[in-house]
Amino acid sequence: DGDWVDSNEEEDLQHVPYSPLRYSEETMLERSKDFYTLLNQRRSVRFISPEPVPREVIDNVIRTAGTAPSGAHTEPWTFVVVSDPEMKHQIRLIVEEEEEVNYRQRMGDKWVNDLAKLRTNWIKEYLDVAPYLVLIFKQTYGILPDGKKKTHYYNEISVSISCGILLAALQV
């Protein structure tokens, strides 16, 4: 297909040497304990504070998520930050509509019953309350400057890893 780039046509990427910092065993142990302690405070919550957060913090968290490994270094993600109250509300309506279909049709009785213990449902009031929503989109392919498509390998797992790093970065 002429719309897709041939791997032989791709430009050579410059190799960037990796020289990680080396830590003493004591420092490694301390850093690993501190990181665990920090992330162990993370919880899945459905009650979000309306307290303002500096936009630069959100930008730094997204930059951190963008350091995730990706198949063939394609970085198949797009992050979109939404702060406009009306746009957040429109997103909430779309999410709730899809979630209601999940609960009523897709998930099955066992899953819905398991979630009932957590007192969760398809109502997502926190989407209106949060100062920012960070939407994350998976790119199955990229568009090169010449208009040809480039395959993004392992795009789903790459985006999932990036989301995990984003969640970790939000704890800092």
Side-chain angles (χ1 to χ4, degrees):
D1 187 348
D3 290 345
W4 291 87
V5 69
D6 183 335
S7 60
N8 295 330
E9 296 176 48
E10 293 185 52
E11 61 184 300
D12 288 330
L13 296 177
Q14 182 180 355
H15 175 73
V16 179
Y18 178 60
S19 300
L21 293 174
R22 300 305 248 171
Y23 298 103
S24 68
E25 285 186 21
E26 181 182 323
T27 300
M28 285 190 283
L29 184 58
E30 183 180 330
R31 288 170 56 94
S32 68
K33 284 180 180 178
D34 289 348
F35 191 63
Y36 168 74
T37 299
L38 179 67
L39 290 189
N40 192 41
Q41 296 172 37
R42 191 205 63 74
R43 298 291 180 265
S44 295
V45 296
R46 287 158 186 88
F47 303 98
I48 306 295
S49 169
E51 190 175 319
V53 176
R55 173 58 193 255
E56 189 175 3
V57 170
I58 302 302
D59 293 342
N60 287 334
V61 164
I62 290 171
R63 270 195 285 281
T64 302
T67 68
S70 60
H73 196 61
T74 55
E75 301 178 344
W77 44 70
T78 299
F79 296 92
V80 176
V81 178
V82 178
S83 60
D84 176 70
E86 181 55 32
M87 181 60 68
K88 290 190 307 179
H89 186 69
Q90 291 302 314
I91 291 167
R92 174 187 173 183
L93 295 177
I94 293 166
V95 168
E96 288 178 344
E97 183 178 327
E98 278 300 306
E99 279 289 271
E100 184 174 8
V101 172
N102 284 339
Y103 274 80
R104 295 190 186 278
Q105 298 174 16
R106 296 181 186 130
M107 295 189 327
D109 292 338
K110 182 174 180 350
W111 191 349
V112 171
N113 289 334
D114 287 347
L115 288 176
K117 298 170 199 167
L118 300 173
R119 297 186 305 263
T120 184
N121 59 32
W122 61 82
I123 306 300
K124 310 295 181 194
E125 295 167 342
Y126 56 84
L127 296 175
D128 281 330
V129 173
Y132 297 102
L133 301 181
V134 179
L135 310 181
I136 305 160
F137 297 91
K138 171 184 74 173
Q139 304 168 4
T140 55
Y141 62 86
I143 305 292
L144 297 173
D146 65 3
K148 289 193 174 187
K149 296 177 184 176
K150 177 180 179 176
T151 301
H152 283 176
Y153 301 100
Y154 300 108
N155 54 70
E156 192 154 328
I157 192 68
S158 298
V159 172
S160 296
I161 294 168
S162 182
C163 289
I165 292 174
L166 180 123
L167 290 172
L170 286 168
Q171 302 308 304
V172 176

